[in-house]
Amino acid sequence: GQSLAKEEERIDGQIKKRGHKVVAPFERLSNNRSTVTLSVPDQSPMERFSKHHLNVTQLCEQSWCEIKVVYGFLKPHMKRREMRRTAVTTGASIHLAREREANPDAVTVVVYTREDREALKLINLIQMVPALEAGQLVREFPVLGVLDGVFFLGVVDELYCSKSGDLVLSELKTRSHNSLPHPAQAKGHSLQVGVYKLLFDSMVQGSMKRDQLLHFLKLRPHQAFGSELQRYAQKLGLLAVTFGELVDHLLVVLHFSNLQPIDKLCLEYRHQSSGVLIGNREVEFEETQLRAELRDYLAFWRGEREPHGVDIEDIEEAWKCRTCPYEESCEWRRNRLQEVMVDGSKKAK
Ligand code: SF4
């Protein structure tokens, strides 16, 4: 515990030393609450938080509460603490066990650059394509591409062919309670698998472009792989030695693959401590509705609208704040509570 606290202190210290804009909007108040600038005029959240792309999971966090997403950037130490806590409670071990089961011969490859790290994901993807074509189950399948002008990255838990020949995407969710999730939680899960399908389908339909990938990920095409990655790629029979060559190879593999769009989206819920199945849910894929939702979520990232927090008057939503690490200092919540109190006293008069 002590070393974790030290690490946190060290990282926070580094952020402060660099004079990073994370610290700039804070103003300490006497009651130990801090006030932050939730949105900045003329600067979209993408610009403000130096985002060139989004992870699909970020979209799911956003569907939970946009103010929480903003706080996650402004108070990174609290987000890290929450992530460590949820790593325990979200059954990271069940995910890991599954991954190991699917990949018993996994090797460790030391990466030296960002290009190496992303290349490793692409190499995994290239290897999984023929397995999937042969009808085998694959796990941790990377998906990437542009949706509504924003580049997304994601990793699909499972893809497999059902007995009836359907290509099924399945996402494992672990729960601390032995029950299916509340609609507010399930909403993010459905969004996640829907966006995975959009990305996967556009990849197999040839929509991925070399320049987009390099541009959005800010990667150098001529960067040669590190020595370990070069050896690993050679062992797999890949001729590529630079990131750009690997991207070219991936595009050829996808172009000549016979993979079809995903037919079915499933969510598998398991009890985190026992690993016992709680239930499966099939998710309806409504493309028009999903794309409209996506546009609205992205309007926040582009700074086209203000971030929205939890509706504290809605009983179906208000409980989210009770599990939120920012509850004490949340400006949004405090302002809404004040508004409710003012409304209440007006009505009483
Ligand atoms: Fe969102 Fe509620 Fe947390 Fe504020 S306290 S960030 S409104 S979940």
Side-chain angles (χ1 to χ4, degrees), residues 223-347:
Q223 176 66 39
F225 298 153
S227 52
E228 282 222 19
L229 189 59
Q230 271 196 33
R231 272 196 296 278
Y232 179 62
Q234 272 168 11
K235 227 166 111 185
L236 298 173
L238 291 169
L239 297 176
V241 291
T242 65
F243 188 77
E245 287 170 4
L246 187 71
V247 172
D248 291 337
H249 184 68
L250 169 68
L251 295 177
V252 170
V253 168
L254 289 174
H255 181 77
F256 288 104
S257 85
N258 59 17
L259 291 177
Q260 296 297 315
I262 287 161
D263 298 298
K264 234 185 208 184
L265 300 174
C266 289
L267 290 165
E268 175 188 345
Y269 292 100
R270 285 194 178 265
H271 188 226
Q272 113 206 344
S273 53
S274 63
V276 168
L277 179 71
I278 300 171
N280 290 304
R281 269 187 183 162
E282 196 173 322
V283 177
E284 284 294 313
F285 181 70
E286 303 280 354
E287 184 165 350
T288 313
Q289 192 190 324
L290 179 64
R291 286 194 185 271
E293 280 175 33
L294 193 60
R295 260 196 304 280
D296 183 51
Y297 286 123
L298 294 180
F300 154 75
W301 289 101
R302 293 190 178 111
E304 292 162 3
R305 65 167 173 80
E306 293 286 310
H308 300 310
V310 165
D311 179 358
I312 60 159
E313 287 190 276
D314 182 349
I315 200 157
E316 297 284 315
E317 291 271 309
W319 61 274
K320 288 179 183 175
C321 299
R322 289 201 297 274
T323 59
C324 177
Y326 313 105
E327 185 190 11
E328 285 278 298
S329 54
C330 178
E331 294 273 307
W332 167 279
R333 184 175 148 76
R334 203 184 309 161
N335 292 341
R336 292 298 164 283
L337 282 170
Q338 272 165 7
E339 280 170 17
V340 171
M341 272 157 62
V342 170
D343 275 359
S345 56
K346 272 187 197 157
K347 275 178 198 154

Side-chain angles (χ1 to χ4, degrees), residues 23-41:
V23 178
F26 280 68
E27 238 179 65
R28 287 278 152 213
L29 291 182
S30 54
N31 61 358
N32 203 26
R33 282 174 172 175
S34 57
T35 173
V36 296
T37 311
L38 291 173
S39 60
V40 175

Side-chain angles (χ1 to χ4, degrees), residues 9 25 32 38 42 45 50-51 54 88-89 125 145 152 164 170 197 230 268 275 277 282 309 332 341:
E9 220 170 81
N32 203 26
L38 291 173
D42 304 327
S50 309
K51 301 289 300 170
L54 295 177
V88 179
T89 56
L125 202 167
F152 280 94
S164 52
S170 177
K197 173 170 163 59
Q230 271 196 33
E268 175 188 345
L277 179 71
E282 196 173 322
W332 167 279
M341 272 157 62

